[in-house]
Amino acid sequence: MDHDKIEIIEIDLLLEAVFRRYGYDFRSYARASMERRIRQFLSVTECSSVAELIPRVLHDEDFFSRLVRYFSISVTEMYRDPLVYRAIREKVVPLLRTWPHVKIWHAGCATGEEVYSLAILLKEEGIYQRATIYATDLNDKVLAQAREGVYSLDRIREATQNYQQAGGRASFSEYYHSRYDAAALDSSLRERITFANHNLAVDGAFGEMHLVFCRNVLIYFNRELQNRALGLFTESLVHGGFLCLGTKEDLRFSAVNDLYEVVDGKAKIYKKKGGP
Amino acid sequence: MSRGATRAGGGIPHYKAVVIGGSAGGVEALATILPALPGDFVLPVLVVQHLHASDDGAFSFHLANLTQLPVAEPCDKTKVEPGRVYTAPANYHMLVERDGTIALSVEGRVNWSRPSIDVLFESAAQAWGEALIAVILSGANTDGARGILAVHAAGGLTIVQDPAEAGSVVMPQAAIATGAVAHVLPAGEIGRLLADLGGRKTNLPPGYRHSIRQSTA
Ligand SMILES: C[S@@+](CC[C@H](N)C(=O)[O-])C[C@H]1O[C@@H](n2cnc3c(N)ncnc32)[C@H](O)[C@@H]1O
């Protein structure tokens, strides 16, 4: 058996060890990227094979924490893909207005930039006060940062440009206070947001959502786990509720495709069929 | 493990996919290579060209005008199909899974690049092994060199644009310096070689095999 095939077994065993020892289930994550990150981690350790990582991971919690840092990818930005926010304003908000109360779930919110971007949009559209927003992630560290809502001025500068392209109605500077080299987002943006730990691989659905945002999270899952997460969203959404995926994610390859109609093909906004 | 692509009938290597990486000057080289591929070209072609992060499919659109083959920016989990060109979207790494589907990722930049050529080539080498053809074009950084090594180690065919004609020599030279490159050719000849290797009717001599050519660059 050649080296590659042996390494596949080693990686299976490592992921199994992580799951059984710590309860984190990365066995259903997209494999190529996972393998890449394991090899990357291997190259910064003294270990010479993936197999050698296994006893270390099992017996040394700090070693495991170092490994998990390679597993979690929380790259995000405010108003990433401005066209998505334009589409939300034009095609989703008019329907959100027709509900007396609006519930929104950001699944895999990372450090929160996307959550605040949408919160600002809802404020400008006058529906923030009747919204309840849940922002979840499996990584407590990024959730803590999301709760803080403090970002570097560099990021805020980038966000300002995107905000305008996204159809922002005010001046972006109205939404934050600069302190030294960082900017704290206005705390009123946080009023209706609840941040919570939720793992799409093991936890259950939320009730009665009108809009689910889950962007650039499903790309890290294999097809089975994608279908599990999409099942949760479908269960959570009211009939006529909206699902917004990353611009390079598509329901076409999923088990729930038939349950949705396309609202905006480029922005990847879908609407759950059925109901009155 | 056997080395070199498996031979179909008449001693012709049997390839399953082509990966191409380019940076500065790469678009010009692609403009020579892609038109050379015949309409019945049977291999999928996966392209990573370093782009500005805000490119909104314009590159893919540009390529579509250069070739008879269908060109698209794939979504995550797209099944790779023969005779199609896939371009990595700006701001995403493009990887290949062993089941022949495309995976996208927004993990950190590699060689200051996202998409990165190394990320595509290394995953494609895992997926296709000796049945892979990898091509490095013009560019001003060293992305792709590790990828070339991985493709070669897996038994695949490695080709680099001749630095003598490349708009930027750094990337071709870094690839050649790995010692793992079989052919160093001008873009026009790369197009012809690919057409021969992946067309329905191949014009290669019966004894064709890919060997490491001592590079002169
Ligand atoms: C690339 S970020 C996406 C951030 C944001 N949605 C965006 O598109 O800009 C991916 C996030 O998904 C989270 N994630 C990964 N696996 C998860 C799981 N099983 N359940 C919940 N969140 C998960 C990661 O912790 C990370 O914060």
Side-chain angles (χ1 to χ4, degrees), chain A residues 27-31 200-201 214 216-234 243 245-246 248-257 260, chain B residues 75-78 97 99 101-105:
Chain A
R27 297 171 304 177
S28 318
Y29 278 52
R31 187 68 187 220
L200 291 166
C214 183
N216 300 304
V217 180
L218 297 182
I219 48 177
Y220 296 102
F221 297 172
N222 72 12
R223 214 173 301 220
E224 285 154 39
L225 187 51
Q226 282 190 348
N227 282 329
R228 181 188 197 276
L230 288 168
L232 288 184
F233 302 151
T234 305
L243 173 63
L245 302 179
K248 294 295 160 195
E249 295 165 334
D250 203 299
L251 281 189
R252 229 178 332 155
F253 310 114
S254 79
V256 299
N257 192 30
Y260 289 84
Chain B
C75 276
D76 182 55
K77 305 283 187 278
T78 298
E97 298 284 355
D99 67 1
T101 55
I102 287 175
L104 299 177
S105 157

Side-chain angles (χ1 to χ4, degrees), chain A residues 109-224:
Chain A
C109 68
T111 39
E113 281 89 331
E114 204 176 64
V115 187
Y116 292 113
S117 302
L118 191 68
I120 289 171
L121 186 155
L122 296 174
K123 266 209 156 147
E124 294 184 354
E125 296 296 332
I127 48 179
Y128 183 74
Q129 285 309 326
R130 52 179 152 127
T132 305
I133 302 165
Y134 301 91
T136 65
D137 202 284
L138 97 164
N139 180 339
D140 283 325
K141 254 199 207 122
V142 294
L143 277 175
Q145 275 174 271
R147 242 177 239 119
E148 286 281 306
V150 176
Y151 303 105
S152 80
L153 280 183
D154 283 348
R155 306 304 304 275
I156 293 287
R157 264 190 289 276
E158 288 164 22
T160 304
Q161 248 190 6
N162 284 355
Y163 165 78
Q164 279 151 4
Q165 286 173 24
R169 301 242 158 109
S171 154
F172 192 61
S173 58
E174 289 180 21
Y175 299 109
Y176 64 85
H177 316 278
S178 313
R179 8 185 244 216
Y180 307 107
D181 56 348
L185 292 182
D186 196 296
S187 60
S188 73
L189 290 172
R190 216 164 8 247
E191 256 169 49
R192 315 287 312 163
I193 308 175
T194 306
F195 291 97
N197 189 301
H198 180 279
N199 185 342
L200 291 166
V202 295
D203 295 328
F206 283 66
E208 304 282 291
M209 292 292 154
H210 299 98
L211 169 61
V212 173
F213 245 67
C214 183
R215 308 189 59 232
N216 300 304
V217 180
L218 297 182
I219 48 177
Y220 296 102
F221 297 172
N222 72 12
R223 214 173 301 220
E224 285 154 39

Side-chain angles (χ1 to χ4, degrees), chain A residues 75-103:
Chain A
V75 182
T76 182
E77 58 187 89
M78 290 192 87
Y79 293 103
R80 177 188 218 160
D81 306 315
L83 71 95
V84 172
Y85 292 88
R86 278 205 304 273
I88 296 273
R89 256 184 225 274
E90 286 159 21
K91 300 180 181 170
V92 177
V93 164
L95 285 141
L96 293 184
R97 281 188 208 290
T98 65
W99 281 299
H101 186 88
V102 181
K103 282 171 82 179

